[in-house]
Amino acid sequence: MRVATIRTGGAERLALVDADGGSLTLPPADRPGPDSLPELIRRGPEAWQELAGWGRSAPGRSGRRLPLGDVELLAPLPRPANNLFALGLNYTDHGEEAYRAAGREYRRPRHPVVFTKDRGCVAAPVGPLEIDFSLSREIDWEVELAVVIGRRAWRVGEAAALDHVFGYCVANDITARDLQTRHKQYYLSKSLPASCPLGPWITTADEVPDPHDLAITLSVNGVPRQVSRTDQMVFSIPETIAAISRIVPLEPGDIILTGTPAGTGFAADPPSYLAPGDVVECSVEGLGTLGNRVVALD
């Protein structure tokens, strides 16, 4: 199933995305069970199966069906409950372009390069992306496959890692490159407000047979900038979950951004960065598309 967070009638609601991708079904108010996506994830597999079963029978039930264009589509997890993890240099071609831009010889990471983004940086999957250009003039893009944890993972092995995944969605790990250079670390440069558009919904793991076999693309103003496949990751999703959970427990609702392929703006010749008015579209095969227009924050 595909589960979204929307705002309608002034309230945030959980909704199921219909098969046509252009409409939503709201669970009826008298239906028992969680009414938000974070609560759904926390309640565990029984709640997921119950909602999926209701969704399959929804056309004959009392759930209200709405066109997607009639609601405000929010990030599925507007503020992650615990951690928003990300991986650096997790596609070989991106590692090569990053090292080349720095005038260094590429060396493949021996272990996942893990950092965090501030939980408050998550932004909606559509609509304006308000960027404070007084903080940075080198705003870059990074399309990524995002993994949403569904069950607590503590020292799990690679073989069992995917059993702890609730689902997948699309992310744009927007980065202020000048802040990254200035502060010599990732957190501040990747935690500006609105620096993580996320969504457009979460597709549950049972509907993604192989998350390592998906096309992943990004365009700016209709021009393709990143075109790759998720099989190009240096460290797979099971390897990443096993590596993180060996040290830090992964909790339900945690998000892991799995890295970006080549085609980032700072590595272009000459470098290219986002400016007010630019439209950025990020897609992962079968999971949907983010579409945001950059605007300058007053």
Side-chain angles (χ1 to χ4, degrees):
M1 62 181 172
R2 293 180 289 180
V3 196
T5 296
I6 65 169
R7 183 179 289 120
T8 181
E12 290 186 14
R13 297 284 307 276
L14 175 152
L16 295 180
V17 181
D18 296 337
D20 61 12
S23 58
L24 303 159
T25 300
L26 300 181
D30 59 355
R31 172 191 162 274
D35 58 5
S36 74
L37 216 165
E39 180 62 22
L40 172 69
I41 294 173
R42 284 194 296 270
R43 290 202 184 186
E46 283 191 13
W48 312 343
Q49 292 167 9
E50 179 188 348
L51 184 64
W54 177 85
R56 285 190 289 270
S57 60
R61 304 287 292 276
S62 58
R64 185 159 55 110
R65 199 161 182 257
L66 296 170
L68 190 61
D70 286 358
V71 303
E72 183 182 357
L73 190 60
L74 306 177
L77 297 172
R79 186 177 178 87
N82 192 38
N83 276 310
L84 177 54
F85 294 97
L87 296 188
L89 307 174
N90 200 39
Y91 283 69
T92 297
D93 57 1
H94 174 56
E96 291 172 340
E97 71 173 4
Y99 273 69
R100 183 170 58 250
R104 299 164 56 196
E105 181 181 353
Y106 171 71
R107 293 184 179 182
R108 185 183 187 276
R110 295 177 59 191
H111 305 282
V113 179
V114 182
F115 58 93
T116 58
K117 292 169 68 77
D118 187 83
R119 293 177 297 153
C121 74
V122 171
V126 294
L129 199 61
E130 296 184 332
I131 301 294
D132 187 348
F133 285 93
S134 71
L135 296 176
S136 171
R137 289 290 177 179
E138 297 182 359
I139 301 295
D140 206 348
W141 55 81
E142 292 188 9
V143 62
E144 310 210 6
L145 169 66
V147 179
V148 180
I149 299 298
R151 294 170 49 211
R152 191 173 193 265
W154 174 228
R155 295 181 176 172
V156 301
E158 292 178 27
L162 292 184
D163 295 338
H164 294 261
V165 173
F166 173 74
Y168 304 91
C169 61
V170 188
N172 188 355
D173 180 20
I174 291 174
T175 306
R177 298 297 182 189
D178 41 4
L179 295 185
Q180 184 175 341
T181 300
R182 182 186 310 162
H183 294 281
K184 309 299 181 186
Q185 47 77 48
Y186 291 116
Y187 181 80
L188 292 177
S189 66
K190 291 174 175 281
S191 293
L192 273 66
S195 62
C196 190
L198 191 72
W201 40 72
I202 297 175
T203 301
T204 51
D206 59 296
E207 294 200 11
V208 185
D210 185 357
H212 304 98
D213 188 26
L214 305 173
I216 181 168
T217 61
L218 179 145
S219 67
V220 179
N221 300 326
V223 178
R225 304 302 295 255
Q226 293 182 281
V227 179
S228 189
R229 297 192 67 83
T230 56
D231 64 356
Q232 298 302 303
M233 291 182 193
V234 176
F235 298 100
S236 69
I237 295 166
E239 288 175 308
T240 297
I241 291 175
I244 295 174
S245 73
R246 185 167 181 260
I247 302 168
V248 178
L250 290 167
E251 303 291 348
D254 279 354
I255 300 169
I256 304 172
L257 309 188
T258 57
T260 199
T264 52
F266 84 98
D269 186 15
S272 177
Y273 299 107
L274 294 173
D278 286 345
V279 175
V280 187
E281 292 185 307
C282 304
S283 298
V284 177
E285 183 180 358
L287 304 184
T289 299
L290 312 177
N292 300 99
R293 180 181 294 277
V294 178
V295 299
L297 182 67
D298 292 334

